[in-house]
Amino acid sequence: MVRVALTGTPGVGKTTIAAVMARDGWSVVDVKAWAHREGCVVGRDEEDAADVIDVEALAGRVPPDDGSRVVYEGHLSHLLPVDEAWVLRCDPEVLQARLATRGYPARKVAENVEAEALDVILQEALDAVPLVRQRDGTRRTPEELYSAFAEAASGAAKRGRPKARHDLEDVDWSHRLGP
Ligand code: DAT
């Protein structure tokens, strides 16, 4: 395991965990900043207040595996050619409070909260990445959350690389969506 996509709905804690990983020696690539540097930002979605990234173009620029530990951090990172996706999850109620403090428009908060409740990023990652790990960060510190991923990953590496067996901690918030 060398190239990891650290992914999840906006607000789940990706940037925070990436900082913990950097302290543990990982090279961290902030996907959005990298897309800007590579000229792969192709527009602006004003309604969503978000840059539009050409992920396919960016995927073509992922350097070959050189054995170092690289983490691509961002909610599109699982669409890059990586070895593993680490999907961070957060209880939608907690996520709602976090996103509201970010000053996102109410519609954008609601869309992201719904996407988290419906496992949207997890499903995308399962469609795209050979090995997906999922952990719930709602009641873990950033350090605990990183350990929950890293211990599983290094345990698997010691046992020999599994082919395509995902490692998904159970989360189910579908009951939070009202009728
Ligand atoms: P993301 O990069 O996924 O958008 P973030 O790292 O910016 O998310 O975190 C969003 C907010 O949540 C930020 O105020 C820090 C807080 N946070 C992140 N991880 C946390 C954790 N494990 N426990 C409590 N709060 C956390």
Side-chain angles (χ1 to χ4, degrees):
M1 178 273 304
V2 243
R3 292 171 302 178
V4 166
L6 185 60
T7 189
T9 309
V12 291
K14 299 179 295 295
T15 312
T16 307
I17 304 306
V20 176
M21 294 176 77
R23 289 199 289 277
D24 195 37
W26 289 75
S27 299
V28 176
V29 179
D30 172 337
V31 171
K32 192 164 137 192
W34 183 45
H36 274 279
R37 288 197 302 276
E38 294 285 333
C40 293
V41 174
V42 290
R44 177 88 185 154
D45 182 337
E46 290 303 341
E47 217 180 307
D48 249 7
D51 293 329
V52 179
I53 293 174
D54 182 346
V55 193
E56 247 177 73
L58 207 52
R61 295 170 197 219
V62 168
D65 180 2
D66 67 356
S68 62
R69 296 189 302 168
V70 184
V71 57
Y72 293 89
E73 181 258 308
H75 70 284
L76 299 172
S77 59
H78 55 280
L79 302 176
L80 299 171
V82 291
D83 305 300
E84 296 194 12
W86 293 3
V87 181
L88 270 64
R89 304 303 302 269
C90 179
D91 183 313
E93 271 187 9
V94 174
L95 188 65
Q96 178 150 31
R98 287 187 191 174
L99 293 179
T101 64
R102 263 188 192 181
Y104 278 8
R107 188 186 52 78
K108 189 170 174 177
V109 173
E111 275 175 12
N112 280 303
V113 168
E114 183 175 283
E116 181 60 11
L118 294 175
D119 304 333
V120 170
I121 298 261
L122 172 66
Q123 292 305 330
E124 286 183 13
L126 289 170
D127 284 344
V129 182
L131 177 54
V132 178
R133 300 184 193 280
Q134 167 172 272
R135 295 291 183 272
D136 179 5
T138 312
R139 276 167 215 85
R140 286 178 165 123
T141 65
E143 289 76 16
E144 286 167 350
L145 185 52
Y146 168 51
S147 296
F149 282 114
E151 280 164 16
S154 68
K158 274 182 207 137
R159 287 193 303 275
R161 204 181 178 76
K163 283 240 161 39
R165 217 186 40 201
H166 300 302
D167 166 23
L168 308 180
E169 191 169 85
D170 208 21
V171 297
D172 181 11
W173 297 301
S174 46
H175 60 283
R176 294 286 176 95
L177 291 178

